[in-house]
Amino acid sequence: MRPLEYLRLSWRSIRGHKLRSALTTLGVVIGIAAVIAFVTLGASLQAGVIGDISPDDQRNAYGWAADPDVEGGPLAGAQPVFSQDDLETLSEDEEIDAAYGYMPLSTQALVYEDEISPQSDALVAAGPSYIREETLDEGRQFESGEREAVINPAVAGQFEENVSVGDELTIVLQGGQGTNVTVVGITEDSEGLSPFEGFEPSPRVYVPTDPYYTEEAATMLPGDGGPGEDGPGEDGPETENPETEEPAALQDGDEADDALFLAIVVEADSADDEDVDAARERALAYLESDESDASELLGDDLEVTLQTSAELLQQLQDVLDLLQNFIVGIAAISLVVGSIGIANIMLVSVTERTREIGIMKAVGAQNRDVLGLFLAESVILGAVGAILGTALGLVAGYLGAWYIDLPLVYPLEYVALAIVIGVLVGVASGLYPAWRAARTDPIDALRYE
Amino acid sequence: MKTGSAVSLEDVRKTYQLGEPVHALDGVSLEIERGSYTAIMGPSGSGKSTLMNLVGCLDTPTEGTVVVDGRDVGSLSSRERTQLRGATVGFVFQTFNLMPRLNALENVALPQLFQGAGRGERRDRARTLLERVGLGDRADHLPNELSGGQRQRVALARALVNDPAIVLADEPSGNLDTETEADVLDLFAEFHEGGTTMVVVTHERHVADRAERIVHLLDGRIERIESLEEEASGRPSEPGSSD
């Protein structure tokens, strides 16, 4: 007897019990659908996140200093140790195209034409090239030393009248003092520009570290600003000591030298791995050497981490993978439950059709024919369940990806794998019932009522 | 066509161990010639079913030899026995035993499936036989859409589909009314005329009377064999011989 005949005959008996077969298949459908949906979402999420790394971003290494024991994403446990002098020295290195500080600054509100919009952490101070040309929708990068800002559409659209290039904004800082900026550019979208910010859209105003951070830092670093003392924590310096008066900094003389950055961005000459690695090594070597200001502050507890966006996202990716494996594991359990369901219904079916088995054997069916017929039936149940589950999972994944606005990626190898698993589930769950059917004694079976 | 008997039993014993040994068949010797029409009669427990299982290659004897179509059933593996059964024995059962989800044509074609025949060949052959039993227009009906007589005719067509050496019918008219019983028995006679070897197990005299001879079983032995060859001149019976 040919395999196709098994399938044809088995399909007939499955159709003979439509509801029962459908319910049996449901277990597999749900298991496979869950796996496919989460894998599709995971792949889409990955594509979405990786897709956000622009080619120009690939040459950036993002650095911060933290206790190596602290786990987490970018800036976790970061302490401000990078001085302006260090950044200048780094910038002069031939392997390094540019190096600048990065500092998130707390604010109270943004004011545009007397309209006040409360904003707690919309301000990001960085170097001019932090705003990459291709992310700008209009205008230009801000210039260092100027009171200029680049805003994103989330900020621009926040006021009754849209903010456009050339307009003036007032930023109310944490301490209550206001500072004016001229908007010189607007970015294309409101997603973060680097892993430091995260990638989710939120209103942000980008300003040059000089003057904004250096000024700000000056207002709050009373002494030498060591992190061990009352230096700024990871939440940003401004929360530490908002009431500090201007003169405190003035006592210290050169304010720019005292500004310590929470994080730095080191730009390599190109996005080539070699260039990025070279720039990173040079930067690390310098920061850890005695020549740098940072090395003093690093002490024994802190360590500088310098990573590219891709590497930083890898950590996020690892977390996502872990989560996904966990969910896929649960889905796999439901697959096991599904296959027990198939095995159960196949056993019922074998008992129910004892007489039919007897007839078939009487008219010349070999044991392997009976085995094949019942196995084909459970394989069909498993495979149909897998196909329906895959379709359902893809639709669910698609809806999910659409809902959280991710590029849709269909993990085709998983689709193929799902079908294979469906067949395997069918074989595994059908083997024992089919074996029992095959060894049924035709004499007993024909007498069976 | 092979020569010799379609079925030959020699001193066959079948013993079941049910607590103490039960001799279902206790030394039976019987020749069933090719093209003959034999009825087997006997009360319950006389060994009719056991004999039928042996002749139908469903079972093997405890002692003695059963030769079906020239092959010693006892010496065959289970697989060879199934092969022999499929190719040389056609079954007709009291309860018809059709596959409920297959239509008449597919039921008739089923035995060929296990012989590895192609689909077209199976359908052609099954259709021919359905027409011969007068059900050409019922080919795509399911068993539960057919009357008892029609079902038994489908079963007969199925029994004949592999061109068997012997057709074994177990109480073929037990579930039929008198009229349809006559139709079915007429068909048996018709196929017998055509050269098919028929064995009918029955406990009804008028069914047995359609055969050429009647084998009377009692307590696992052949009580007597009654020949009905000269039907016209009454019912001369000859004394049966058991062991």
Side-chain angles (χ1 to χ4, degrees), chain A residues 1-2 5 8-9 12-13 16-17 353 355-356 359-366 368-369 442-443 446, chain B residues 53 58-59 79 82-83 85-86 91 93 95 97 99-102 106 111 113-114 116 118-119 122 158:
Chain A
M1 199 171 151
R2 302 153 203 199
E5 306 282 0
R8 255 168 33 84
L9 267 181
R12 295 287 284 271
S13 50
H17 295 287
R353 279 148 64 190
R355 204 180 174 86
E356 285 180 44
I359 299 168
M360 290 195 290
K361 286 195 152 187
V363 302
Q366 294 286 359
R368 65 189 148 89
D369 292 328
I443 299 171
L446 283 170
Chain B
N53 288 342
L58 287 166
D59 211 348
R79 197 172 155 167
T82 303
Q83 177 60 36
R85 175 167 70 236
F91 286 95
F93 302 95
T95 51
N97 279 346
M99 300 287 278
R101 276 183 297 274
L102 299 184
E106 290 163 332
L113 187 65
F114 302 118
R119 191 158 180 228
R122 294 202 309 264
R158 181 180 66 187

Side-chain angles (χ1 to χ4, degrees), chain A residues 9-328:
Chain A
L9 267 181
S10 302
W11 181 240
R12 295 287 284 271
S13 50
I14 287 171
R15 278 195 3 210
H17 295 287
K18 287 199 184 69
L19 181 64
R20 186 160 97 182
S21 305
L23 289 176
T24 307
T25 309
L26 206 55
V28 178
V29 171
I30 291 171
I32 297 270
V35 174
I36 293 290
F38 285 115
V39 167
T40 302
L41 265 182
S44 298
L45 198 59
Q46 188 170 354
V49 167
I50 302 297
D52 278 332
I53 307 176
S54 69
D56 215 27
D57 183 20
Q58 286 168 18
R59 68 195 181 112
N60 292 2
Y62 296 90
W64 68 96
D67 188 327
D69 293 337
V70 175
E71 298 263 329
L75 295 182
Q79 300 283 344
V81 299
F82 307 105
S83 72
Q84 194 64 41
D85 281 347
D86 285 348
L87 290 170
E88 272 160 26
T89 311
L90 285 176
S91 297
E92 279 156 22
D93 193 295
E94 55 185 10
E95 298 286 353
I96 297 170
D97 197 38
Y100 50 83
Y102 169 94
M103 201 69 209
L105 299 175
S106 286
T107 51
Q108 286 185 346
L110 298 175
V111 183
Y112 173 60
E113 305 211 327
D114 297 336
E115 195 184 332
I116 298 172
S117 164
Q119 291 292 337
S120 60
D121 45 0
L123 197 58
V124 171
S129 55
Y130 185 75
I131 312 293
R132 293 182 299 278
E133 295 285 359
E134 84 269 7
T135 58
L136 277 170
D137 186 40
E138 51 179 313
R140 56 170 175 84
Q141 297 170 337
F142 53 72
E143 272 172 29
S144 197
E146 301 292 328
R147 298 200 164 264
E148 292 176 343
V150 171
I151 60 174
N152 67 17
V155 170
Q158 212 156 48
F159 302 96
E160 224 162 89
E161 203 174 322
N162 273 3
V163 183
S164 49
V165 173
D167 290 345
E168 287 255 315
L169 275 180
T170 304
I171 301 164
V172 182
L173 296 173
Q174 191 65 32
Q177 71 273 39
T179 178
N180 289 338
V181 292
T182 308
V183 174
V184 295
I186 298 178
T187 57
E188 211 164 28
D189 58 40
S190 301
E191 287 170 19
L193 296 177
S194 80
F196 286 154
E197 296 172 50
F199 288 97
E200 66 281 3
S202 102
R204 286 185 189 93
V205 176
Y206 302 98
V207 293
T209 50
D210 172 29
Y212 290 96
Y213 177 54
T214 44
E215 254 177 23
E216 167 98 359
T219 64
M220 35 178 305
L221 294 175
D224 57 0
E229 214 184 308
D230 65 345
E234 58 180 279
D235 288 337
E238 57 291 332
T239 56
E240 289 286 313
N241 209 347
E243 270 117 50
T244 313
E245 301 290 319
E246 279 284 333
L250 291 176
Q251 296 165 1
D252 225 27
D254 188 355
E255 56 184 34
D257 286 347
D258 281 329
L260 289 177
F261 294 97
L262 191 63
I264 56 169
V265 179
V266 174
E267 292 186 2
D269 292 333
S270 82
D272 287 349
D273 284 349
E274 280 173 36
D275 285 347
V276 174
D277 284 343
R280 173 165 36 189
E281 269 164 42
R282 295 296 276 265
L284 271 179
Y286 170 75
L287 289 170
E288 282 166 1
S289 73
D290 292 341
E291 292 162 46
S292 70
D293 297 339
S295 64
E296 276 175 54
L297 299 168
L298 284 173
D300 293 334
D301 329 329
L302 302 179
E303 211 169 81
V304 175
T305 309
L306 259 177
Q307 291 189 308
T308 61
S309 283
E311 288 163 346
L312 287 170
L313 289 171
Q314 189 53 47
Q315 298 180 346
L316 175 72
Q317 188 62 45
D318 289 345
V319 175
L320 283 178
D321 282 349
L322 191 71
L323 193 68
Q324 181 168 324
N325 287 345
F326 179 68
I327 293 168
V328 168

Side-chain angles (χ1 to χ4, degrees), chain B residues 15-209:
Chain B
T15 308
Y16 294 109
Q17 297 293 338
L18 303 169
E20 55 190 79
V22 174
H23 302 287
L25 284 182
D26 196 8
V28 170
S29 298
L30 182 67
E31 296 284 325
I32 296 172
E33 299 293 329
R34 288 185 193 278
S36 65
Y37 190 161
T38 308
I40 297 173
M41 289 192 77
S44 298
S46 60
K48 295 196 302 284
S49 297
T50 306
L51 183 63
M52 199 179 133
N53 288 342
L54 289 172
V55 173
C57 307
L58 287 166
D59 211 348
T60 51
T62 313
E63 274 176 56
T65 54
V66 177
V67 177
V68 175
D69 202 27
R71 305 194 65 182
D72 179 1
V73 176
S75 70
L76 299 177
S77 69
S78 152
R79 197 172 155 167
E80 290 167 323
R81 199 145 45 82
T82 303
Q83 177 60 36
L84 180 66
R85 175 167 70 236
T88 62
V89 183
F91 286 95
V92 177
F93 302 95
Q94 177 176 1
T95 51
F96 320 127
N97 279 346
L98 299 177
M99 300 287 278
R101 276 183 297 274
L102 299 184
N103 64 30
L105 187 76
E106 290 163 332
N107 261 293
V108 174
L110 188 66
Q112 293 171 289
L113 187 65
F114 302 118
Q115 299 299 315
R119 191 158 180 228
E121 184 191 342
R122 294 202 309 264
R123 295 185 79 85
D124 290 347
R125 171 85 177 136
R127 194 169 289 283
T128 308
L129 275 161
L130 267 185
E131 275 159 15
R132 281 189 64 189
V133 299
L135 290 175
D137 56 338
R138 290 281 189 277
D140 49 4
H141 285 238
L142 291 175
N144 61 11
E145 297 164 346
L146 299 172
S147 71
Q150 288 171 330
R151 287 186 215 183
Q152 200 57 303
R153 284 190 277 164
V154 172
L156 179 60
R158 181 180 66 187
L160 290 161
V161 78
N162 277 338
D163 203 7
I166 179 171
V167 169
L168 261 182
D170 183 10
E171 301 282 6
S173 59
N175 278 6
L176 302 178
D177 59 47
T178 321
E179 202 174 322
T180 46
E181 171 183 66
D183 288 348
V184 167
L185 293 178
D186 285 348
L187 266 177
F188 276 37
E190 197 181 312
F191 282 106
H192 170 235
E193 300 279 305
T196 307
T197 313
M198 306 288 294
V199 174
V200 176
V201 176
T202 183
H203 62 268
E204 289 185 274
R205 181 71 212 188
H206 69 275
V207 174
D209 278 344

